[in-house]
Amino acid sequence: MFDIERWQEIFDAIRKNKLRTILTGVSVASGIFILVVLLAFGQGMQNGIAKEFEADASNRIGVWTQVTTQEYMGLNPGRPIQLRNNNYQAINSKFGEDLENRSPFFRVRNVTVDYNTESGSYSVQGVSPLFQNIENQFISQGRYLNYGDEENVAKVVVISNKIKRELLKGEENPIGAFLKLSGINFQIIGVYGDKGGDREEDRLFIPISTAQRVFNGSDNLNMLFYTLKPSASLDETVAKSVKLTEDIKTYLKEAHMVAPTDPSAVNTFNTLEAVKRFQNLTGGIKFFFWFVGICTIVAGVVGVSNIMMIIVKERTREIGVRKALGARPRAIVGMILHEAIFVTSVAGLAGLIFSMGLLEFVGPNLKIDYVLNPSINFKVALSTVCLLIIAGALAGFFPAWRAATIRPIEALRDE
């Protein structure tokens, strides 16, 4: 039942200690507010980093070569190391069971791109069909390259949405039209988009075999790209990818007679390692945010305990009278606890409502690098407030128990 007298007592106690109660409530509310905002900011960082990695496959491995820096087997340093088709085929044969997607890469240099009277400067790259998965590209119109194009050395090209807008102005459906690459006609078979946005759409793609044969690339390659089959956990996948990159480097050094300790002749990058580092970073930041927020809440709970002790001290004579008239200890404890729970609940919910409202209004419009849509699960936030209320009740219990154990005669003598 709703006990009007009990609530009246609570409001009377709060009015008598108005300043202390307000300060304690502000402390508790600010603790919840800070915790929710910090956790939301941590989630926003995680969202932002995940968005950055969406531009390409998050388990991408790249391989490229430079010049040797060490003498080896009678060969002088400074030799350029050139990747070739047989290197790509040998890696596929040796490590194919661990690979999910694979593609050689050949960059065609100094190419002019023309369409009717329009001309543009874009990167022309020779790749295999699975390069689409490695780059997380999607098809807007037509299709991507296929193995038939590669086997037939087809003069076909896939352009980007950006190139379509800039070079093929007014063309609703460019499929079947012809571009000229350094004066050679290539038929457009598809239009792609990239999750990385316009910065990733300055490229057009042709079959790797066509790029090498038509543009005098022989069997040279600039890079090799791979993605790894996922394992049961991220740690296992990272460990597997590290081993694979080392095995690829070892093979290429042996194949090109490079010193095993040469630091720059054969190079690799592994985005999984970056993913792992960013996950560890965001995990550490979230832990720090939790720590700061909880410390702030603890300060608020200590404030609740202190104000309850003051209230007990100021109401000692009243408590003595109540006990002399037959009030039981649990009634005294309940009276103090109700006040502690009331202050904690109101302040905690106020902090929660204000912080969630702020996130709802500011979060979607926040423009900070690597921070995207900071938010927090409402259940997590509400659970935090519930824990705060329980902590507030515990903070009020000890002063309440002290009040319940005061002997009436001592309480009535209190000045």
Side-chain angles (χ1 to χ4, degrees):
M1 291 180 63
F2 184 77
D3 191 338
I4 296 178
E5 292 183 1
R6 176 60 54 83
W7 284 103
Q8 187 62 47
E9 289 175 358
I10 292 173
F11 291 135
D12 288 344
I14 290 173
R15 276 198 298 270
K16 290 177 182 177
N17 298 273
K18 184 183 297 183
L19 180 60
R20 296 191 190 100
T21 303
I22 290 174
L23 291 176
T24 301
V26 169
S27 178
V28 172
S30 63
I32 286 291
F33 176 82
I34 291 171
L35 177 60
V36 170
V37 170
L38 288 178
L39 292 180
F41 192 80
Q43 183 60 48
M45 289 185 64
Q46 190 168 329
N47 295 341
I49 291 170
K51 181 69 174 177
E52 288 294 316
F53 280 106
E54 275 184 6
D56 300 312
S58 60
N59 61 344
R60 187 172 64 153
I61 295 171
V63 184
W64 75 99
T65 55
Q66 294 177 300
V67 298
T68 59
T69 58
Q70 297 179 5
E71 182 274 336
Y72 185 64
M73 297 181 66
L75 300 172
N76 291 327
R79 288 184 298 123
I81 303 300
Q82 179 62 60
L83 289 172
R84 300 190 183 277
N85 289 345
N86 62 347
N87 298 142
Y88 173 69
Q89 293 158 2
I91 291 172
N92 291 344
S93 176
K94 285 175 176 288
F95 311 111
E97 291 183 358
D98 295 325
L99 301 175
E100 184 176 36
N101 299 297
R102 64 203 79 180
S103 176
F105 177 90
F106 180 76
R107 182 181 291 106
V108 183
R109 302 184 184 279
N110 304 318
V111 178
T112 58
V113 182
D114 301 294
Y115 178 75
N116 294 335
T117 59
E118 299 291 335
S119 182
S121 177
Y122 304 103
S123 175
V124 178
Q125 300 175 357
V127 297
S128 280
L130 292 178
F131 192 74
Q132 178 187 2
N133 300 332
I134 296 171
E135 286 287 301
N136 270 349
Q137 296 168 346
F138 58 90
I139 292 297
S140 301
Q141 291 177 279
R143 64 173 178 85
Y144 204 74
L145 304 172
N146 61 33
Y147 288 108
D149 300 328
E150 190 172 326
E151 291 173 4
N152 297 322
V153 195
K155 293 185 179 68
V156 293
V157 61
V158 179
I159 66 173
S160 68
N161 288 313
K162 179 182 179 182
I163 294 173
K164 176 188 170 184
R165 291 194 305 269
E166 294 178 350
L167 203 61
L168 285 77
K169 300 173 182 177
E171 290 281 353
E172 290 296 327
N173 184 10
I175 306 304
F178 286 87
L179 283 183
K180 284 189 175 182
L181 305 183
S182 292
I184 301 172
N185 282 328
F186 278 74
Q187 188 175 35
I188 299 172
I189 59 170
V191 181
Y192 78 90
D194 195 294
K195 293 183 179 180
D198 282 358
R199 60 184 179 143
E200 297 286 338
E201 293 187 5
D202 279 324
R203 304 173 293 171
L204 46 81
F205 299 100
I206 61 178
I208 181 70
S209 58
T210 307
Q212 291 175 325
R213 187 172 302 180
V214 173
F215 295 99
N216 301 317
S218 184
D219 65 341
N220 295 339
L221 298 172
N222 296 117
M223 291 189 71
L224 308 176
F225 286 102
Y226 302 98
T227 62
L228 202 63
K229 292 177 181 177
S231 298
S233 67
L234 177 62
D235 289 337
E236 290 181 18
T237 307
V238 171
K240 186 188 291 186
S241 70
V242 170
K243 182 179 184 304
L244 177 63
T245 54
E246 288 303 315
D247 289 344
I248 290 174
K249 289 172 72 173
T250 298
Y251 156 71
L252 288 173
K253 286 181 177 181
E254 291 175 353
H256 291 274
M257 300 179 69
V258 175
T261 55
D262 194 311
S264 65
V266 180
N267 302 276
T268 61
F269 69 80
N270 185 347
T271 57
L272 271 173
E273 291 182 285
V275 171
K276 181 65 176 176
R277 285 196 298 271
F278 275 119
Q279 281 200 349
N280 291 339
L281 175 63
T282 55
I285 290 173
K286 277 190 172 183
F287 176 80
F288 175 74
F289 286 169
W290 268 106
F291 178 76
V292 172
I294 288 174
C295 285
T296 308
I297 289 175
V298 168
V301 171
V302 170
V304 172
S305 179
N306 288 338
I307 196 171
M308 290 301 105
M309 291 178 66
I310 293 171
I311 289 173
V312 167
K313 179 66 177 175
E314 292 180 347
R315 299 176 66 182
T316 301
R317 289 180 62 83
E318 177 191 339
I319 292 170
V321 170
R322 288 174 178 271
K323 295 194 71 174
L325 294 175
R328 296 182 179 181
R330 69 179 183 182
I332 303 298
V333 171
M335 177 181 69
I336 305 300
L337 278 183
H338 281 166
E339 295 176 20
I341 293 172
F342 178 78
V343 171
T344 308
S345 301
V346 172
L349 289 173
L352 174 64
I353 292 169
F354 185 59
S355 59
M356 295 295 287
L358 181 66
L359 289 172
E360 188 70 23
F361 179 73
V362 175
N365 302 312
L366 193 63
K367 304 295 183 185
I368 301 177
D369 289 342
Y370 295 105
V371 178
L372 175 66
N373 191 23
S375 59
I376 185 172
N377 189 306
F378 182 73
K379 290 182 179 179
V380 173
L382 191 60
S383 298
T384 304
V385 174
C386 293
L387 289 175
L388 173 65
I389 293 171
I390 294 172
L394 290 175
F397 174 78
F398 297 102
W401 182 254
R402 178 178 177 275
T405 57
I406 296 176
R407 294 172 61 188
I409 188 65
E410 293 177 358
L412 292 172
R413 289 175 178 171
D414 184 75
E415 296 296 333

